[in-house]
Amino acid sequence: MSKILISNWKSNPRDPKSAVKLAKAIDKKVVVIAPPFPFLSAVGKVIKKSALGAQDLFWADGPFTGEVSAQDLKILKVKYVIVGHSERRKNLKETDEMINLKLKAALQAGLKAVLCVGEPAVVRKKGIKEAKKFVKKQLTKDLESLKTINYKLKTNLIIAYEPVWAISTEKGSKPDTPQDAVEMIKFIKEILCSKFYILNPKVLYGGSVTAKNAGEFLREKSVDGALIGGVSLRPLEFNRIISNIIRQV
Ligand code: PGA
């Protein structure tokens, strides 16, 4: 199973010209590019090897002012969609119930859904055991009634383990240690297999991944790739991570 890098641009860059330039600079087969909604169309037109990703979706079509549905994304040739990013959970008060609806809508539409889970700093301070409890609870709620989804579509589920305190926009952020990230990723895989009957699930690590530390995460067999924010806006550095992942494939 090949490893992937998801390039989460968040609300960057500022204009379509810069978005196209950046996309061309990181257009490689192992990369999923997730620009802001207004640049999806322009980026989708120029990439040749990467897959197109979105940073969010809404769970229905219809009279929902300002929202973007799975069908809208498919028209733009989007293949991947991030769901439940901690910045949305925190700033937009997205609940596990909303995330569950979004996730099911994405999978039912045949999109690859990248569900972000991870504990906040207050929980991690109590130790990895407490962090595991938190992540298990999040997964159980976010994946509720996934059984209703056809097995083949369920294999499109990807989890990104992103400890909230490790994300570069958080105060005092630093990456998790590869050892702890691996422990959590193996734990997540066990839950996905035993509770949700998903065999060989893909689980990525995210949170302050840089060209310097990427190799330590990516060489781990259980880490199926990375979700990268800040550094994915810096093509030189991001391309070093791409070269690293290509060596692992
Ligand atoms: P970061 O962001 O790589 O800048 O820490 C990761 C993310 O928020 O998905």
Side-chain angles (χ1 to χ4, degrees):
M1 192 164 52
S2 52
K3 302 198 181 204
I4 57 167
L5 292 178
I6 302 186
S7 163
N8 176 15
W9 292 0
K10 309 192 180 185
S11 306
N12 300 289
R14 292 265 57 90
D15 58 84
K17 213 170 149 197
S18 314
V20 162
K21 191 172 167 208
L22 178 58
K24 284 182 177 168
I26 59 171
D27 183 18
K28 296 277 158 49
K29 211 170 161 225
V30 293
V31 177
V32 175
I33 302 180
F37 285 142
F39 305 149
L40 276 172
S41 171
V43 168
K45 281 184 191 134
V46 295
I47 52 178
K48 296 197 165 64
K49 297 178 184 157
S50 298
L52 191 60
Q55 297 175 17
D56 184 39
L57 84 164
F58 190 63
W59 56 79
D61 274 307
F64 300 104
T65 305
E67 294 297 341
V68 177
S69 72
Q71 296 312 325
D72 297 334
L73 295 179
K74 290 192 76 172
I75 289 168
L76 292 171
K77 308 263 186 304
V78 166
K79 296 274 181 302
Y80 289 73
V81 60
I82 299 171
V83 180
H85 192 282
S86 62
E87 285 155 8
R88 298 192 60 84
R89 292 181 191 255
K90 184 175 152 194
N91 301 315
L92 292 133
K93 308 281 176 284
E94 271 195 11
T95 62
D96 290 306
E97 290 70 28
M98 290 159 79
I99 290 162
N100 174 256
L101 290 172
K102 290 182 175 196
L103 193 76
K104 285 190 286 195
L107 292 174
Q108 254 145 4
L111 292 166
K112 289 188 188 288
V114 184
L115 170 67
C116 300
V117 294
E119 77 289 352
V122 278
V123 173
R124 184 55 170 259
K125 276 195 190 113
K126 295 182 200 153
I128 188 125
K129 214 169 143 200
E130 283 304 308
K132 281 183 176 172
K133 257 199 229 165
F134 183 96
V135 168
K136 184 174 182 183
K137 213 164 149 194
Q138 233 177 11
L139 277 175
T140 309
K141 286 187 182 170
D142 296 349
L143 301 181
E144 206 197 299
S145 72
L146 206 71
K147 288 185 207 85
T148 55
I149 290 176
N150 152 318
Y151 181 76
K152 200 160 168 265
L153 295 177
K154 244 173 22 180
T155 59
N156 282 337
L157 173 71
I158 297 166
I159 306 290
Y161 170 56
E162 295 207 301
V164 178
W165 47 269
I167 293 174
S168 67
T169 43
E170 290 291 307
K171 204 166 145 248
S173 64
K174 57 174 173 34
D176 201 353
T177 62
Q179 295 83 335
D180 285 352
V182 164
E183 186 174 336
M184 184 65 90
I185 284 173
K186 285 186 175 162
F187 176 71
I188 292 172
K189 289 188 174 184
E190 269 165 37
I191 297 173
L192 293 175
C193 285
S194 62
K195 277 190 88 161
F196 299 97
Y197 312 114
I198 301 171
L199 302 175
N200 306 316
K202 240 187 171 96
V203 184
L204 319 177
Y205 169 74
S208 295
V209 174
T210 61
K212 210 162 158 208
N213 65 26
E216 294 172 27
F217 293 100
L218 296 174
R219 70 167 166 247
E220 296 289 344
K221 202 166 167 264
S222 57
V223 180
D224 298 303
L227 176 49
I228 304 181
V231 171
S232 71
L233 299 167
R234 303 202 287 271
L236 263 180
E237 200 174 341
F238 193 66
N239 271 298
R240 278 169 53 208
I241 305 180
I242 297 175
S243 310
N244 194 311
I245 214 169
I246 289 171
R247 282 200 298 274
Q248 314 282 329
V249 176

